[in-house]
Amino acid sequence: MTSIDNMEQEVLDYWTMRTPSFSQIRENELMGDIGKGWQFALRSTLPINRYRKILDVGTGTGFFSVLLSRDGYRMTGVDITPSMIEEAKKEAGKFKSKAGFHVMDAMNLAFKDETFDAVISRNLTWTLPDVEKAYREWFRVIRPGGRLINYDANYANAIRRGDAVRTESGDKIAYGHDGVTKEMEKISNGIALSLDIGKEDRPAWDRECLMSVGFKKCFVDMDEAEKILGLKSDPAAPMFKIIADK
């Protein structure tokens, strides 16, 4: 069995490979209609008068942090991949964002208890060796009355069904997978199938786990991709949104 340490290294190596193309995808989002869609959705889910100080876990190249700092949110982004954090800092500079960025493990945050009004994450939990540990850690750093928002998808389930993110010919690429080679896709699929979270019935499992770690309310939305991305989500593994209140 692959150890957690080895798996974390494999995940880090994968996202290091993806950094250049991923950075361009997210920058295009920031400048286009998709960015506006996210901004509108998050304003209503995270009203700034209640959730001003936000931790963006698995920030990647800083999309949420840069986007929300435009509205005056105090954003901190963390990611385990150093190359992603370097790109996030560059993006912040391009868009004159005051967001701060740190290399940090999502399951072991270097913040005091109840530091943030909210935690937000996108496309991260499917890569984590211990999602329950991450949820407990995120719960810890959220103040009472605060909120967690997690956007993710059940990629492992799609892989087991035989659904692919691209056609056999390779000419049609699912949104968000630009720059992903066949070899990179193989690595990504291997990661998804190797992790325990990939064996769970998501997002039902996530809801139960979040309630067990202490969140008082938990709401799941399976249609968020259509609302924000305009049907540009991966059809094999649709994005879901989880909102959990502490």
Side-chain angles (χ1 to χ4, degrees), residues 69-141:
S69 64
R70 292 174 177 174
D71 283 341
Y73 293 90
R74 295 170 56 194
M75 299 300 302
T76 300
V78 300
D79 201 286
I80 200 171
T81 309
S83 59
M84 288 285 189
I85 290 298
E86 287 306 308
E87 288 299 314
K89 290 176 180 178
K90 291 177 185 177
E91 290 299 294
K94 287 179 186 178
F95 292 95
K96 297 180 172 54
S97 167
K98 294 182 179 179
F101 297 98
H102 309 279
V103 176
M104 198 176 297
D105 183 350
M107 299 179 296
N108 296 282
L109 299 174
F111 299 109
K112 295 179 180 179
D113 295 356
E114 302 176 7
T115 298
F116 298 95
D117 298 326
V119 169
I120 189 168
S121 186
R122 176 185 179 189
N123 199 33
L124 171 68
T125 39
W126 73 271
T127 71
L128 295 179
D130 192 337
V131 177
E132 181 176 350
K133 182 178 180 181
Y135 280 154
R136 289 187 183 280
E137 188 71 345
W138 302 355
F139 179 85
R140 179 183 68 79
V141 300

Side-chain angles (χ1 to χ4, degrees), residues 5 11 17 27 41-42 47 52 60 81 87 90 98 114 120 136 139 149 179 190 193 197 204 209 213 240-241:
D5 287 345
V11 170
M17 284 190 292
E27 183 172 317
L42 293 173
R52 180 176 292 272
T81 309
E87 288 299 314
K90 291 177 185 177
K98 294 182 179 179
E114 302 176 7
I120 189 168
R136 289 187 183 280
F139 179 85
I149 303 178
L193 292 173
I197 188 63
C209 182
V213 304
F240 55 78
K241 175 179 73 173

Side-chain angles (χ1 to χ4, degrees), residues 6-209:
N6 287 341
M7 181 53 69
E8 283 183 320
Q9 185 62 51
E10 190 171 343
V11 170
L12 194 156
D13 291 345
Y14 170 75
W15 286 108
T16 299
M17 284 190 292
R18 282 209 58 187
T19 297
S21 60
F22 193 77
S23 177
Q24 190 58 58
I25 290 170
R26 291 295 183 253
E27 183 172 317
N28 291 342
E29 286 184 348
L30 282 169
M31 295 187 296
D33 290 339
I34 289 176
K36 293 176 183 176
W38 278 109
Q39 197 167 16
F40 177 80
L42 293 173
R43 281 173 181 164
S44 59
T45 310
L46 291 170
I48 196 168
N49 60 327
R50 293 182 62 190
Y51 310 103
R52 180 176 292 272
K53 189 176 182 181
I54 301 177
L55 176 64
D56 176 14
V57 185
T59 188
T61 57
F63 176 77
F64 277 155
S65 292
V66 172
L67 184 75
L68 290 175
S69 64
R70 292 174 177 174
D71 283 341
Y73 293 90
R74 295 170 56 194
M75 299 300 302
T76 300
V78 300
D79 201 286
I80 200 171
T81 309
S83 59
M84 288 285 189
I85 290 298
E86 287 306 308
E87 288 299 314
K89 290 176 180 178
K90 291 177 185 177
E91 290 299 294
K94 287 179 186 178
F95 292 95
K96 297 180 172 54
S97 167
K98 294 182 179 179
F101 297 98
H102 309 279
V103 176
M104 198 176 297
D105 183 350
M107 299 179 296
N108 296 282
L109 299 174
F111 299 109
K112 295 179 180 179
D113 295 356
E114 302 176 7
T115 298
F116 298 95
D117 298 326
V119 169
I120 189 168
S121 186
R122 176 185 179 189
N123 199 33
L124 171 68
T125 39
W126 73 271
T127 71
L128 295 179
D130 192 337
V131 177
E132 181 176 350
K133 182 178 180 181
Y135 280 154
R136 289 187 183 280
E137 188 71 345
W138 302 355
F139 179 85
R140 179 183 68 79
V141 300
I142 296 174
R143 63 161 174 79
R147 172 166 284 185
L148 166 67
I149 303 178
N150 182 24
Y151 295 94
D152 205 28
N154 196 345
Y155 296 109
N157 191 44
I159 295 164
R160 280 193 294 270
R161 289 198 314 266
D163 295 329
V165 297
R166 65 176 74 223
T167 61
E168 282 301 309
S169 63
D171 27 284
K172 258 196 185 171
I173 308 295
Y175 175 77
H177 292 269
D178 294 344
V180 177
T181 65
K182 293 276 189 179
E183 184 59 30
M184 291 165 70
E185 183 181 343
K186 183 178 178 181
I187 294 170
S188 174
N189 290 351
I191 291 170
L193 292 173
S194 297
L195 295 170
D196 288 342
I197 188 63
K199 302 176 180 68
E200 303 294 349
D201 177 20
R202 305 187 68 197
W205 178 90
D206 298 74
R207 186 183 186 284
E208 291 181 9
C209 182

